[in-house]
Amino acid sequence: MSAKQEDIFKQVISHCKEYGFIFQSSEIYDGLSAVYDYGQTGAVLKKNIRDYWWKAMVQMHDNIAGIDTAIFMHPTTWKASGHVDAFNDPLIDNKDSKKRYRADVLIEDHMARIEEKINKEVEKASKKFSPFDEAMFRSTNGRVKEYQAKIDEIKDRFSKALNDGDLNEVRQIIVDEEIVCPISGSRNWTDVRQFNLMFSTSMGSVSEEASTIYLRPETAQGIFVNFLNVQKTGRMKIPFGIAQTGKAFRNEIVARQFIFRMREFEQMEMQFFVRPGTEMQWYEHWKTARLNWHRSLGLGHEKYRFHDHIKLAHYANAACDIEFQFPFGFKELEGIHSRTDFDLKQHEQFSGKKLQYFDSELNQSYVPYVVETSVGLDRLFLAVLSSSLKEEVLEGGDTRTVLSLPPAIAPYKAAIFPLVKKDGLPELAQKIFNDLRFDFDMTYDEKDTVGKRYRRQDAIGTPFCITVDHQSLEDQSVTIRHRDTMQQDRVAISGLHSLLNKKTGIAGLLRSLA
Ligand code: ATP
């Protein structure tokens, strides 16, 4: 991360704390690493993002059913899914700093640093030459070509080592590339070992009878084991999907970057069951649909890109990530995976129960193929918050901090202020507040000057501030101030409901997808 990126990221973290979005878990005991709590504004923003996902996936699709399965599952689930044997990260320790790293992350960070050098060369040249042909520059400049060749070489070696499960070779790449520990600066590395990421606990009151169970590392398996229950009771016909949101737990080795990588987090997943042979068509369909969903939030089309997986997971025949430009660079936000019939077949085998679908058009039974869309709610929260936070310089040199959240997911849709705390203004303001709160998340504020109240609402992303003044008592109108433009309009109190509905409703976002 460059110093500038680090500053921006630090600002995001401190803003989250200062305005009640996110607190470190158990902070009074110095916190618990990579576990976070959502505060009064954060919980509502998170809920609104979850609602938008749920409505877009479940409410707007006749053929997608939403469910809510338990965190605890029969332990055999995780044998069948492959998590007990293969849900590992390669880890390596530095003997001097005693710090533990994910070997793949060390190598990826190393490649990102080389990429950074290329970007610097491109930037330098773009300032020197006009017009500037970037593609031509990249393919002809000696230094850039050398850097690119290095990246390609490491990528090839690394992907082969991962595919072969060759941990010695992974270590050798770290040694050959002279990658140093960021803390000690030394190259004194241990061997690379595999580390299982699942948390376990025991169920049962008597220790001899207690059995080891796992905290689910993904919500998907709760969907697979209920595939037939939902298909039969919901009379679902292929192709159809099952969606759910819920907590997942992973004992991440490198827990860093705030809520980007947590040990307890929330996923929003959808498994789409299709006829074998049609999975690639549905994979492409969901890639486009999910990218459009993200873009509809209006954070900027250029902030997203697809990244195809180098190493396919044991269950996949195609997989990609939708990456987002976080303050620390492009990173995975959502995974889209064509999981074949792997999971259902495994559960058939381990449970001894048939998990097949009778396709009346083909007059034949089969185990469906699955295309999965899986997005982290906390990562999405970070994407939204980090790209909405802005420091603006106003006319006259003043500055303001504004969180230009998409209005449909902002914690409060509007704030109501009486201009002064007398003359009947608080009473009218309270009345408007009480009328609107049935349909909208509202906040009421009568402390300090109106200017200060605007600043407080800007910082938590409230799209509208409504001020009741003396004229309001006479003509039943109020001033409405727009967060992003700071423009103020005079509107009738009777028109507020429809205005908020139009400008802040999730329906508007959903319509933009149709
Ligand atoms: P990564 O490569 O970043 O570890 P992953 O490929 O293991 O992620 P998936 O198993 O595909 O992730 O999970 C789907 C989504 O769940 C991810 O795209 C991400 O948004 C979210 N997610 C996964 N792990 C975490 C975590 N530790 N903290 C927060 N969100 C996570």
Side-chain angles (χ1 to χ4, degrees), residues 34 83 87 89 102 104 108 197 217-218 248-252 254 258-269 309 315 320-322 326 331-337 339 372-380:
H83 283 83
F87 193 52
D89 274 344
R102 259 174 69 177
D104 54 332
E108 273 158 18
L197 298 181
E218 62 176 28
F249 304 83
R250 295 183 187 179
N251 197 1
E252 299 281 2
V254 189
F258 194 36
I259 57 168
F260 180 81
R261 190 173 299 288
M262 300 157 90
R263 296 203 163 107
E264 173 179 342
F265 58 101
E266 195 165 333
Q267 288 187 313
M268 307 194 288
E269 297 199 296
H309 284 199
Y315 50 74
C320 71
D321 300 330
I322 296 178
F326 289 96
K331 296 274 178 215
E332 172 176 348
L333 175 61
E334 169 153 0
I336 299 170
H337 311 127
R339 290 179 82 128
E372 163 185 80
T373 71
S374 173
V375 58
L377 177 52
D378 312 86
R379 270 189 205 180
L380 194 49

Side-chain angles (χ1 to χ4, degrees), residues 14 209 247-248 323 362 375 394 408 434 436 465 501:
S14 67
E209 284 175 12
K247 288 276 177 133
E323 292 189 337
L362 299 181
V375 58
L394 305 174
N434 284 328
L436 291 172
C465 291
N501 214 9

Side-chain angles (χ1 to χ4, degrees), residues 297-299 384-385 387-390 392 400-407 410 458-462 483-484:
L297 287 169
L299 305 178
V384 167
L385 202 127
S387 52
S388 301
L389 185 61
K390 290 169 192 140
E392 282 182 1
R400 72 161 181 159
T401 303
V402 59
L403 195 60
S404 48
L405 296 172
D458 286 347
I460 58 171
T462 308
R483 177 195 64 199
D484 299 333

Side-chain angles (χ1 to χ4, degrees), residues 267-294:
Q267 288 187 313
M268 307 194 288
E269 297 199 296
M270 193 274 300
Q271 310 295 323
F272 201 69
F273 300 90
V274 306
R275 201 180 268 174
T278 63
E279 71 275 12
M280 280 309 153
Q281 165 198 333
W282 286 109
Y283 173 68
E284 292 303 328
H285 168 89
W286 283 110
K287 271 176 74 171
T288 309
R290 292 303 304 147
L291 181 64
N292 286 344
W293 183 89
H294 286 288

Side-chain angles (χ1 to χ4, degrees), residues 239-460:
F240 74 91
I242 304 179
Q244 78 164 328
T245 70
K247 288 276 177 133
F249 304 83
R250 295 183 187 179
N251 197 1
E252 299 281 2
I253 302 161
V254 189
R256 52 172 195 180
Q257 289 165 333
F258 194 36
I259 57 168
F260 180 81
R261 190 173 299 288
M262 300 157 90
R263 296 203 163 107
E264 173 179 342
F265 58 101
E266 195 165 333
Q267 288 187 313
M268 307 194 288
E269 297 199 296
M270 193 274 300
Q271 310 295 323
F272 201 69
F273 300 90
V274 306
R275 201 180 268 174
T278 63
E279 71 275 12
M280 280 309 153
Q281 165 198 333
W282 286 109
Y283 173 68
E284 292 303 328
H285 168 89
W286 283 110
K287 271 176 74 171
T288 309
R290 292 303 304 147
L291 181 64
N292 286 344
W293 183 89
H294 286 288
R295 285 175 164 180
S296 71
L297 287 169
L299 305 178
H301 283 19
E302 73 291 350
K303 294 225 156 111
Y304 303 90
R305 71 180 189 197
F306 283 116
H307 168 78
D308 289 321
H309 284 199
I310 305 179
K311 180 191 181 234
L312 291 179
H314 55 280
Y315 50 74
N317 68 357
C320 71
D321 300 330
I322 296 178
E323 292 189 337
F324 184 80
Q325 193 173 22
F326 289 96
F328 37 83
F330 272 99
K331 296 274 178 215
E332 172 176 348
L333 175 61
E334 169 153 0
I336 299 170
H337 311 127
S338 173
R339 290 179 82 128
T340 68
D341 55 2
F342 174 84
D343 301 85
L344 290 179
K345 278 227 168 110
Q346 287 291 103
H347 287 304
E348 275 200 326
Q349 194 192 326
F350 279 76
S351 68
K353 311 258 164 42
K354 270 204 175 326
L355 294 175
Q356 301 201 350
Y357 171 81
F358 178 71
D359 191 325
S360 53
E361 274 174 39
L362 299 181
N363 198 26
Q364 133 191 5
S365 293
Y366 52 78
V367 177
Y369 270 46
V370 173
V371 174
E372 163 185 80
T373 71
S374 173
V375 58
L377 177 52
D378 312 86
R379 270 189 205 180
L380 194 49
F381 184 109
L382 182 59
V384 167
L385 202 127
S386 60
S387 52
S388 301
L389 185 61
K390 290 169 192 140
E391 280 294 327
E392 282 182 1
V393 182
L394 305 174
E395 267 176 47
D398 241 8
T399 58
R400 72 161 181 159
T401 303
V402 59
L403 195 60
S404 48
L405 296 172
I409 56 171
Y412 299 113
K413 304 306 177 209
I416 311 279
F417 310 152
L419 183 64
V420 287
K421 266 198 280 182
K422 56 182 185 186
D423 305 336
L425 301 189
E427 288 75 8
L428 179 56
Q430 277 287 348
K431 184 180 174 312
I432 299 171
F433 173 71
N434 284 328
D435 283 348
L436 291 172
R437 75 190 312 185
F438 283 99
D439 294 305
F440 307 101
D441 275 306
M442 305 288 297
T443 180
Y444 178 85
D445 192 358
E446 57 179 26
K447 283 189 214 84
D448 301 321
T449 62
V450 170
K452 277 195 182 153
R453 287 181 253 173
Y454 282 155
R455 293 290 175 274
R456 276 202 287 272
Q457 297 305 323
D458 286 347
I460 58 171

